[in-house]
Amino acid sequence: MNSGYHEHLSTFVTIAKTGSLTRASASTGAGQSTLSRQLAALEKHLGCKLFHRSTRSIKLTEKGEIFLPHAERILQAAADARDLLLEGKASFSGRIRVACSI
């Protein structure tokens, strides 16, 4: 798995959910050309097309429909793992001593 794989999966899921490169671009703040390159890199890595693209629409292919729930689970698992590791960092523990004058 290359270092951009997580970002490419996120791009794929965002495009699939929004149904448009334009809306995905607005949602993420990334340019359409960047999203298109990330999607192309993911498709190359997987060895299959995930979307049928035309000038007016973008729709999931059969393989894209199969892959989408798996990609969502991968992203959720990564988020859950990150949250688990950060959970202890969000809270303080131990004794606090306060010194002040009356």
Side-chain angles (χ1 to χ4, degrees), residues 9-35:
L9 281 178
S10 182
T11 295
F12 164 68
V13 170
T14 302
I15 294 169
K17 294 290 185 189
T18 61
S20 155
L21 275 171
T22 302
R23 288 189 293 269
S25 176
S27 167
T28 63
Q32 288 183 34
S33 60
T34 299
L35 297 180

Side-chain angles (χ1 to χ4, degrees), residues 20 28 44 47 53 65 70 75 88 94 96 100-101:
S20 155
T28 63
K44 182 179 179 184
R53 297 181 198 95
E65 288 181 19
H70 296 283
L75 293 172
I96 296 176
C100 62
S101 61

